[in-house]
Amino acid sequence: MTTRPWSSTTASVEPGTLDQVTKARLYSGMQPSADSLQVGNYIGALMQWRDLQDSYDAFFSVVDLHALTQPNDPAELREKTRRTAAQYIAAGIEPSRSTLYVQSHVAAHPELAWILSTITGFGEAGRMTQFKDKSQRYGADVTSVGLFTYPILMAADILLYQTNIVPVGDDQKQHIELTRDLAERFNARYGETFTVPMPVIQQDTARIYDLQNPTAKMSKSAESDAGTLWLLDDPSVSAKKVMRAVTDSEGSVRYDRENKPGVSNLLVIYAALTGRQIPAIEDEYAGRGYGDFKKGLAEAVVNEFGPVRARALELLDDPAELDRVLAKNADRAAEVANATLNTVYDRIGLLRRR
Ligand code: TYM
């Protein structure tokens, strides 16, 4: 194991192997807000998770309580939650080595969120850009208090596990800054209680853009489906989307984020999925048209997502087994989370039930 400067200082890691006790903590999660994850989730987060899971004591949650901030059909939400967990596993998150669980299975999350909400300023929460964007888009009547307090629940997710690092895409950076502020504030008021987490954002892939609108982030809730590559789409559908991706009229495959956002985005996706460097891909396609380049990328997309999709669908064929794995992992998560919550309740002076 590599030594990390921020190695864990808490002693609440049990039960677990010696390895888990000495490893620093990693925490991250995704919302089950669509039937499938999109390629931005995969490249911006999931690939990092997979690479880091063995060097850290890693916790990965499916944040179903966060997903309630959007309208949901109950049966569909249950299904999306399973589908998200299945995609984590299919993409290489090992539930026997990492703790992969569903957020609502651990009651400590909303409990700590309440406590943290009492030390969060109204103005501070109102400055979160994701809240501002969404509330402007949907209007005050549709915007719920849950959407406003969303980042506080996210802070609770992270702080319950005495997390050292949080690997995410760059749209989550501000939420992690709030989490750090809340941890420091609580520690200053009540004594050292929380580890102050660090965001880990892979600069090159921190933001994957929409294939049809390459200046907008690829997202599960994009207006047009043609710009989003879904992990669980039939590979032939994804290949077609790549072939139809917006480029420019210059005709040369080169990275220039400002003037060639479409081609640059495709180059980033290509490099991430094949583990190659962008200049090597530019060289390969020098003097060849976008058609060839897109064909190469479509092939890389099919090669990467074909097996992930097949494995996810196989796992979804046995929902009882998937539920069993999630329950077992939730037990381990709850042990760690409850230890932190107990300390918090003691520190702030709640009379404990004997
Ligand atoms: P969510 O579900 O929107 O996204 C999950 C992860 O995918 C990253 N991501 C992207 N990265 C690059 N390019 C894109 N186009 C792109 N789209 C999404 C996100 O940055 C994120 O890492 N609030 C979180 C979920 C959450 C969480 C947490 C994360 C709840 N609690 C605790 C970390 C720790 C969210 O909505 O992610």
Side-chain angles (χ1 to χ4, degrees):
M1 188 197 128
T2 37
T3 9
R4 311 260 165 196
W6 51 73
S7 78
S8 181
T9 51
T10 54
S12 59
V13 194
E14 314 167 54
T17 61
L18 185 61
D19 219 18
Q20 279 166 334
V21 177
T22 53
K23 278 178 180 175
R25 282 274 166 75
L26 179 158
Y27 192 95
S28 204
M30 292 192 192
Q31 293 192 69
S33 48
D35 283 337
S36 169
L37 298 176
Q38 42 88 2
V39 103
N41 301 132
Y42 186 81
I43 295 177
L46 210 38
M47 287 177 83
Q48 268 74 258
W49 298 6
R50 183 171 64 201
D51 291 347
L52 294 169
Q53 67 175 331
D54 287 328
S55 314
Y56 290 85
D57 182 18
F59 287 73
F60 299 112
S61 59
V62 179
V63 293
D64 54 347
L65 295 172
H66 278 109
L68 295 177
T69 56
Q70 293 167 17
N72 273 295
D73 171 85
E76 280 177 13
L77 177 61
R78 268 188 286 277
E79 182 57 20
K80 287 173 185 171
T81 301
R82 283 204 189 98
R83 288 173 84 94
T84 304
Q87 288 170 90
Y88 287 6
I89 300 172
I93 302 302
E94 248 315 316
S96 58
R97 305 207 301 269
S98 299
T99 306
L100 190 175
Y101 72 102
V102 175
Q103 182 192 35
S104 67
H105 293 179
V106 180
H109 290 243
E111 292 184 69
L112 180 61
W114 171 255
I115 305 293
L116 294 177
S117 75
T118 66
I119 63 162
T120 308
F122 194 80
E124 190 175 31
R127 281 193 291 278
M128 295 294 111
T129 52
Q130 285 211 338
F131 170 73
K132 284 201 287 192
D133 290 350
K134 285 191 183 166
S135 55
Q136 266 162 23
R137 206 176 330 145
Y138 302 124
D141 287 344
V142 179
T143 302
S144 66
V145 174
L147 193 64
F148 184 65
T149 58
Y150 177 114
I152 303 173
L153 179 58
M154 178 163 163
D157 297 342
I158 297 167
L159 297 182
L160 276 172
Y161 296 88
Q162 305 296 351
T163 300
N164 302 97
I165 66 159
V166 189
V168 283
D170 83 343
D171 58 347
Q172 299 301 316
K173 198 170 163 199
Q174 197 189 25
H175 292 161
I176 297 169
E177 274 158 16
L178 175 72
T179 304
R180 289 172 55 84
D181 289 346
L182 294 178
E184 280 166 0
R185 192 172 305 157
F186 191 100
N187 288 349
R189 280 189 201 167
Y190 300 107
E192 281 302 313
T193 306
F194 296 122
T195 303
V196 181
M198 300 267 296
V200 170
I201 298 170
Q202 211 71 44
Q203 284 316 324
D204 315 342
T205 54
R207 188 167 286 237
I208 302 296
Y209 295 86
D210 188 284
L211 299 188
Q212 289 299 320
N213 182 9
T215 51
K217 186 183 77 165
M218 188 182 285
S219 127
K220 293 188 219 115
S221 55
E223 273 161 30
S224 143
D225 184 64
T228 309
L229 288 178
W230 301 103
L231 239 62
L232 297 185
D233 253 353
D234 188 284
S236 65
V237 173
S238 301
K240 268 191 207 128
K241 285 184 181 174
V242 170
M243 296 309 291
R244 288 185 192 143
V246 164
T247 49
D248 52 60
S249 55
E250 192 201 37
S252 80
V253 177
R254 83 189 156 77
Y255 185 90
D256 177 349
R257 166 64 57 208
E258 207 142 294
N259 301 306
K260 294 166 70 68
V263 171
S264 302
N265 187 41
L266 297 181
L267 273 166
V268 169
I269 298 174
Y270 203 142
L273 295 184
T274 55
R276 294 174 63 194
Q277 298 294 318
I278 288 181
I281 303 170
E282 288 173 335
D283 283 352
E284 182 183 343
Y285 291 100
R288 295 162 70 186
Y290 291 150
D292 271 2
F293 169 57
K294 285 176 167 178
K295 255 187 230 152
L297 174 57
E299 209 176 285
V301 165
V302 171
N303 286 345
E304 179 79 9
F305 295 149
V308 174
R309 174 179 188 263
R311 176 81 183 111
L313 296 180
E314 198 179 288
L315 288 161
L316 289 165
D317 264 350
D318 190 353
E321 173 59 14
L322 189 58
D323 289 358
R324 197 191 58 76
V325 168
L326 291 172
K328 194 164 159 228
N329 278 247
D331 287 343
R332 157 143 163 83
E335 262 181 75
V336 178
N338 290 338
T340 301
L341 189 68
N342 272 324
T343 308
V344 168
Y345 281 178
D346 277 339
R347 295 263 156 91
I348 57 176
L350 297 182
L351 176 65
R352 310 318 312 284
R353 187 182 144 175
R354 305 277 170 217

